[in-house]
C-alpha cells in the first residue's frame, strides 16, 4: 500500500474538485492521499495554486479542514505557531518569534509547491511541481465521446460520499467489468439491457457480427426502449442537453477514466463525476458529484432526485460487491485469480498498476 501511494498516487494527476468550489479568492480544498496532505486554493490574486499542506517551521498541517476559506488577510497562517505565507507563491511572510536566527533567510522557507491544472471545470493536482499537463495522456479511457457535453459550464447539483471496506484497486476492477451486473444490479440491467448479457460493449462476444442488424438494445447497446437517461423512471424530464447529437443520445451512457482518482459518466441530461481516494489499505472513499446545466438546476419542476437516487442505488450495490470481494481475498490458499475474456478493461487496469508501481 505504501509503495502504491508513493508511485501510482505520487506520480499521477489527481482530481481535487470542480472549479466552482474554488471560485473565490481564499477558498481552499485539502486532499489527503496516504500520509501526504495537499492544499489547493484560489490565491488572493485569483489564481489556482497548490502546496503541500505543511508548515516550513516544524511541519504542522496548515489547514486541518477538508475545505474552507482563508482568513480576512488572504494569507495561509499555520494554526500551530502562526507562521504566515503568501497564498500566491507560498512565500514566508512572517514568523512569530521576537527575533530570527542569524543567517535566517525567509526566501528559503517557501511552501513546497505542487502542480495544479484545470480541465473542463475540473481541478487536478500533481505532487511533482514540474509535472507537465498533457490532456492526451491524462485519460486511460479517453474522453472522445464527451466533445458535445458542456462540461465547463455545468454546475454541481448534488454531492454524495461513502466509504467502502475495500482496497481502492478492488473498486476499479469492479468498475471495469460487467460480469457482475445481472446478479448485483437488477435495476441497472433493466435500464441497460446489454449489461444483462454480462458485457459492456456489443463486440465483447464472439458472435457479435451476427447481431449487427438487430434493434434489440440487448444487442445494439443503449438504454431500454423509451428510456432517456439514468434515472428511476428513465426520464430526462424534458432536459436533454441541447448540444448532444442523436449519436450521443443513442449510447445511453459514456465513460472516461483517469486513473487512479476519477471517472466521468455522461448521460442525456447530466454528468456524474466519481472520485476515488484510498483512506487505508482496505478503506476507500468514493465521492459522486452530479453536474447539470444551469437551466436545469433553475427549473423548479426538475426533480434531480430522479437521477441521484438511481445512481446511488447502483453505487451502493457496487460498494457491497467490492466489500465481499475484499473479504474473500484473505483466504490463505488464494494466490491469484483468473481473468475472463470479457474482463479486458480489468486487464488494462492491472497492467497500468504493474507498470506504475515499478516507478
Amino acid at each position: 500500500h505504501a509503495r502504491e501511494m508513493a508511485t501510482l498516487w505520487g506520480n499521477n494527476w489527481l482530481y481535487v474538485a470542480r472549479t466552482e468550489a474554488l471560485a473565490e479568492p481564499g477558498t481552499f480544498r485539502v486532499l489527503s492521499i496516504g500520509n501526504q496532505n495537499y492544499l489547493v486554493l484560489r490565491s488572493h490574486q485569483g489564481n489556482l495554486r497548490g502546496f503541500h499542506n505543511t508548515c516550513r517551521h516544524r511541519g504542522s498541517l496548515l489547514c486541518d479542514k477538508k475545505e474552507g476559506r482563508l482568513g480576512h488577510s488572504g494569507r495561509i497562517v499555520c494554526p500551530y505557531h502562526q507562521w504566515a505565507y503568501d497564498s500566491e507563491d507560498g512565500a514566508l511572510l512572517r514568523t512569530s518569534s521576537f527575533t530570527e536566527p542569524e543567517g535566517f533567510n525567509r526566501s528559503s522557507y517557501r511552501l513546497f509547491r505542487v502542480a495544479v491544472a484545470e480541465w473542463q471545470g475540473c481541478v487536478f493536482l500533481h505532487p511533482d511541481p514540474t509535472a507537465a499537463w498533457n490532456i492526451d495522456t491524462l485519460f486511460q479511457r479517453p474522453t472522445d465521446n464527451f466533445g458535445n457535453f458542456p462540461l465547463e459550464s455545468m454546475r454541481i447539483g448534488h454531492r454524495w460520499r461513502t466509504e467502502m471496506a475495500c482496497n481502492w484497486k478492488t473498486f476499479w476492477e469492479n468498475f471495469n467489468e460487467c460480469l457482475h451486473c445481472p446478479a448485483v444490479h437488477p435495476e441497472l440491467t433493466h435500464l441497460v439491457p446489454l449489461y444483462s448479457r454480462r458485457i459492456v460493449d456489443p463486440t465483447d462476444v464472439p458472435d457479435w457480427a451476427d447481431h449487427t442488424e438487430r434493434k434489440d438494445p440487448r444487442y445494439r447497446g443503449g438504454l431500454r426502449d423509451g428510456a432517456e437517461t439514468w434515472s428511476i423512471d428513465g426520464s430526462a424530464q424534458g432536459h436533454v442537453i441541447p448540444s448532444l447529437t442523436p449519436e450521443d443520445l443513442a449510447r445511453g451512457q459514456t465513460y472516461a477514466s483517469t486513473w487512479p482518482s476519477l471517472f466521468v459518466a455522461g448521460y442525456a441530461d447530466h454528468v456524474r463525476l466519481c472520485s476515488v481516494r484510498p483512506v487505508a489499505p482496505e478503506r476507500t472513499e468514493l465521492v459522486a458529484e452530479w453536474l447539470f446545466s444551469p437551466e436545469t438546476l433553475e427549473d423548479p419542476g426538475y426533480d434531480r432526485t430522479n437521477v441521484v437516487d438511481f445512481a446511488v442505488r447502483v453505487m451502493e450495490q457496487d460498494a457491497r460487491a467490492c466489500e465481499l470481494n475484499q473479504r474473500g481475498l484473505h483466504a490463505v490458499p488464494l494466490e491469484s485469480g483468473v481473468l475472463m475474456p470479457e474482463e479486458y478493461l480489468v486487464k488494462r487496469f492491472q497492467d497500468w498498476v504493474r507498470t506504475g508501481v515499478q516507478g
Side-chain angles (χ1 to χ4, degrees):
H1 182 72
R3 184 179 180 185
E4 291 170 0
M5 296 303 98
T7 55
L8 299 174
W9 291 85
N11 294 329
N12 285 289
W13 287 94
L14 309 176
Y15 174 72
V16 178
R18 287 288 289 174
T19 306
E20 64 184 280
L22 296 164
E24 299 298 324
T27 52
F28 68 83
R29 280 290 181 92
V30 167
L31 183 66
S32 298
I33 302 295
N35 62 4
Q36 298 302 297
N37 209 277
Y38 307 106
L39 172 64
V40 177
L41 54 80
R42 181 74 63 179
S43 76
H44 61 88
Q45 294 186 18
N47 299 309
L48 279 174
R49 293 290 185 256
F51 308 97
H52 283 266
N53 188 22
T54 301
C55 181
R56 294 299 308 277
H57 176 208
R58 281 167 45 201
S60 170
L61 286 183
L62 296 165
C63 297
D64 61 352
K65 296 180 180 179
K66 287 188 175 182
E67 58 186 273
R69 192 163 191 161
L70 302 177
H72 296 299
S73 69
R75 298 176 175 182
I76 305 168
V77 180
C78 178
Y80 193 14
H81 298 109
Q82 302 296 295
W83 281 32
Y85 302 86
D86 188 275
S87 61
E88 173 68 20
D89 58 8
L92 175 60
L93 301 175
R94 184 194 70 217
T95 69
S96 56
S97 298
F98 293 106
T99 61
E100 295 173 355
E102 184 178 350
F104 179 80
N105 187 343
R106 291 186 182 181
S107 66
S108 299
Y109 292 89
R110 295 175 178 269
L111 297 181
F112 298 114
R113 296 285 297 269
V114 298
V116 178
E118 291 182 78
W119 170 81
Q120 295 292 310
C122 297
V123 179
F124 293 83
L125 72 79
H126 197 298
D128 180 355
T130 66
W133 175 259
N134 186 346
I135 188 61
D136 295 328
T137 60
L138 178 67
F139 287 90
Q140 292 81 16
R141 196 167 177 177
T143 61
D144 298 354
N145 293 335
F146 281 89
N148 296 319
F149 283 86
L151 279 169
E152 192 164 2
S153 64
M154 298 179 82
R155 296 292 177 262
I156 297 174
H158 190 78
R159 197 168 186 264
W160 174 85
R161 176 195 178 277
T162 193
E163 193 168 301
M164 303 173 288
C166 69
N167 183 266
W168 66 275
K169 300 188 301 301
T170 303
F171 169 83
W172 274 116
E173 290 182 352
N174 175 82
F175 172 75
N176 281 303
E177 52 89 357
C178 213
L179 286 177
H180 71 278
C181 287
V184 174
H185 302 303
E187 299 87 358
L188 178 58
T189 53
H190 176 61
L191 180 68
V192 187
L194 181 72
Y195 291 171
S196 69
R197 299 176 62 207
R198 303 178 184 273
I199 57 177
V200 297
D201 188 273
T203 63
D204 287 350
V205 291
D207 64 346
W208 69 270
D210 298 338
H211 304 286
T212 54
E213 300 301 319
R214 301 184 69 166
K215 303 301 182 182
D216 187 338
R218 279 173 47 87
Y219 296 94
R220 65 169 166 78
L223 306 181
R224 69 171 185 263
D225 291 340
E228 299 176 291
T229 190
W230 276 37
S231 65
I232 295 293
D233 63 6
S235 168
Q237 304 176 67
H239 281 276
V240 171
I241 298 171
S243 56
L244 298 183
T245 66
E247 182 181 6
D248 294 327
L249 298 174
R251 293 190 191 97
Q253 61 278 317
T254 191
Y255 300 100
S257 302
T258 172
W259 297 326
S261 67
L262 179 72
F263 76 78
V264 186
Y267 310 99
D269 59 340
H270 68 285
V271 169
R272 178 165 47 100
L273 306 178
C274 290
S275 54
V276 180
R277 183 180 69 90
V279 177
E282 295 191 12
R283 302 294 301 182
T284 299
E285 179 187 63
L286 176 65
V287 176
E289 296 168 307
W290 284 261
L291 309 182
F292 303 89
S293 68
E295 295 77 16
T296 299
L297 290 177
E298 291 166 4
D299 181 359
Y302 182 84
D303 180 11
R304 69 190 76 170
T305 63
N306 196 31
V307 299
V308 169
D309 290 354
F310 182 84
V312 167
R313 183 176 302 173
V314 172
M315 290 185 290
E316 287 177 339
Q317 292 165 343
D318 278 326
R320 170 64 175 162
C322 291
E323 291 176 343
L324 289 174
N325 192 172
Q326 190 68 45
R327 288 167 62 189
L329 291 174
H330 288 283
V332 172
L334 182 65
E335 294 184 359
S336 66
V338 60
L339 296 181
M340 295 291 104
E342 299 91 342
E343 296 171 299
Y344 56 91
L345 292 174
V346 179
K347 173 66 161 55
R348 188 184 303 172
F349 171 70
Q350 291 183 354
D351 287 344
W352 177 84
V353 169
R354 291 188 187 95
T355 300
V357 294
Q358 294 170 2

